[in-house]
Amino acid sequence: MNPLSEVAVYPVLEDSTLSIRALEVGEEYLFYGSKDHIGKFALDEQLVVNLDQFKIDNGKEYFKYVLTEEDTPLHFRAIAEINGDFLAVSIGNPAKVYRLPRKGKNPQLVYEERHESVFYDAIKFWNSKEGLAIGDPTDGCMSIIITRDGGKSWAKVSCADIPEAVDGEAAFAASDTNIAIMGDKTWVATGGMASRVLYSPDKGVSWEVYATPVVQGQPTTGLYSIDFYDDQLGYGIGGDYTKADSNTANKIRTVNGGKTWTLSADSQTPGYRSCVQYIPESNGKELVAVGFKGIDYSNDSGQSWTHLSDEGFYTIRFVNDTIAYAAGNGRISQLVFR
């Protein structure tokens, strides 16, 4: 395995009004959530034919949906794609979950929650029917809603079944990667005054919580993103976005399914990053982290990192071991690693 040494960035969608922190790659479309709409656009099967002449022309295959509350556009930072169906969760009060069927043209409101503290941060599915969304506490525990019918209906989990939240503990809607899933197992990263990992072995029926050594104790500190390569090997990243160059206690790693976490590459680059993802088929050795300060790469399970680019993104999703899509302020791009 030769380590990657560079990344090429190719524009897919550029629009100064975009602020994208949630991105999914489907078989036919790219899906995203932005500050005033959700969108999807068709993928060309031959996206990379000649990298020197790379371009995408979506023509009529680009769809934008502006969904509002009292005539104010809703902001979406958590989305999911299931068999072509598009699920999107709005931030703030009220929280709304919309479902756009694969062949539908009108998003359907399938869940609504009103509370002065409601704020959902991420969504993820175990399979084509069962999934969850997580958010900040409203009643003394992290908010968790679950669907068992493909997103058509949702129910909130009682705080009697979730560990009590620490005062000031919440989550960050920075990249839609607060949740990691392997089989029936689920990990949820929290942040703020306390930064821990909630764990469920049984698709959200029961929950426990594990401590982490990541920086915490301020509203802007903690884990912003978590990913697992298998059910034992996981990595978390974050820090403090207001002190983006600080690299102390902002990266952690587990080798036992999240039961214990150790600091990784402590006081080494990178500093704050909003998203980390394992590269597919890398045996858990290769990871990429992105944030508004750039793109970084590790080929030793996150023990050390190489800065590949100053190009800023909020979130990234891999298609295979060399190609990914990343989104951020004003754009979606295709990244080709080599």
Side-chain angles (χ1 to χ4, degrees):
M1 179 180 65
N2 295 319
L4 302 175
S5 59
E6 62 180 1
V7 57
V9 179
Y10 299 96
V12 173
L13 176 65
E14 295 185 332
D15 182 338
S16 61
T17 66
L18 294 173
S19 178
I20 299 174
R21 300 172 189 269
L23 180 69
E24 291 294 331
V25 183
E27 291 186 2
E28 300 177 75
Y29 291 90
L30 277 179
F31 301 85
Y32 70 87
S34 189
K35 64 182 178 182
D36 61 2
H37 70 282
I38 56 175
K40 68 175 187 176
F41 54 96
L43 284 170
D44 185 336
E45 291 182 357
Q46 302 297 324
L47 281 178
V48 180
V49 178
N50 183 338
L51 293 180
D52 294 328
Q53 299 176 4
F54 178 88
K55 67 177 181 178
I56 288 183
D57 182 5
N58 286 293
K60 296 180 181 179
E61 296 300 302
Y62 177 28
F63 305 92
K64 295 173 67 173
Y65 304 88
V66 178
L67 303 164
T68 62
E69 167 68 16
E70 297 182 349
D71 297 324
T72 299
L74 295 170
H75 187 147
F76 295 89
R77 296 191 182 187
I79 66 166
E81 179 270 331
I82 299 296
N83 293 334
D85 293 349
F86 188 8
L87 280 298
V89 189
S90 68
I91 61 171
N93 183 24
K96 295 188 176 186
V97 181
Y98 289 89
R99 177 178 176 267
L100 178 66
R102 180 174 183 174
K103 295 184 179 181
K105 294 184 178 180
N106 298 305
Q108 308 160 347
L109 179 64
V110 292
Y111 179 80
E112 182 174 343
E113 182 178 340
R114 294 178 181 269
H115 190 284
E116 61 182 7
S117 300
V118 68
F119 197 108
Y120 280 89
D121 305 280
I123 184 174
K124 194 94 169 178
F125 273 70
W126 292 286
N127 52 51
S128 62
K129 293 294 185 182
E130 299 173 291
L132 79 163
I134 64 98
D136 297 351
T138 57
D139 297 304
C141 71
M142 294 294 292
S143 295
I144 299 176
I145 56 174
I146 291 179
T147 180
R148 307 287 184 188
D149 59 8
K152 297 176 184 177
S153 64
W154 297 79
K156 191 165 186 178
V157 180
S158 168
C159 278
D161 299 318
I162 305 172
E164 183 179 355
V166 175
D167 188 28
E169 182 178 21
F172 298 113
S175 62
D176 197 19
T177 53
N178 307 70
I179 307 169
I181 283 176
M182 280 289 159
D184 294 348
K185 299 179 179 180
T186 311
W187 299 265
V188 172
T190 71
M193 301 305 289
S195 187
R196 305 185 296 172
V197 173
L198 293 173
Y199 170 70
S200 172
D202 48 18
K203 293 187 292 188
V205 175
S206 63
W207 293 89
E208 52 193 297
V209 65
Y210 303 127
T212 79
V214 78
V215 60
Q216 51 199 285
Q218 298 295 326
T220 53
T221 56
L223 290 170
Y224 281 70
S225 178
I226 191 172
D227 194 27
F228 272 73
Y229 187 79
D230 54 32
D231 66 0
Q232 296 299 304
L233 183 60
Y235 205 89
I237 203 164
D240 184 342
Y241 79 89
T242 68
K243 301 175 182 177
D245 291 328
S246 176
N247 52 30
T248 301
N250 75 314
K251 301 173 287 293
I252 59 173
R253 180 173 180 259
T254 182
V255 294
N256 60 6
K259 294 180 177 62
T260 59
W261 296 82
T262 57
L263 292 177
S264 180
D266 193 25
S267 300
Q268 301 177 36
T269 57
Y272 165 79
R273 293 292 182 268
S274 54
C275 185
V276 65
Q277 296 283 281
Y278 281 98
I279 296 179
E281 307 301 325
S282 68
N283 294 317
K285 297 292 186 182
E286 295 180 285
L287 302 102
V288 168
V290 302
F292 62 79
K293 299 280 279 188
I295 304 168
D296 298 87
Y297 163 75
S298 173
N299 71 335
D300 58 6
S301 301
Q303 297 179 79
S304 65
W305 291 81
T306 300
H307 187 68
L308 294 183
S309 173
D310 291 334
E311 296 269 7
F313 295 97
Y314 297 141
T315 193
I316 185 173
R317 299 294 183 276
F318 276 89
V319 178
N320 54 42
D321 59 358
T322 57
I323 296 174
Y325 289 92
N329 188 27
R331 62 176 172 167
I332 299 174
S333 300
Q334 188 185 71
L335 307 187
V336 180
F337 295 87
R338 4 179 201 216

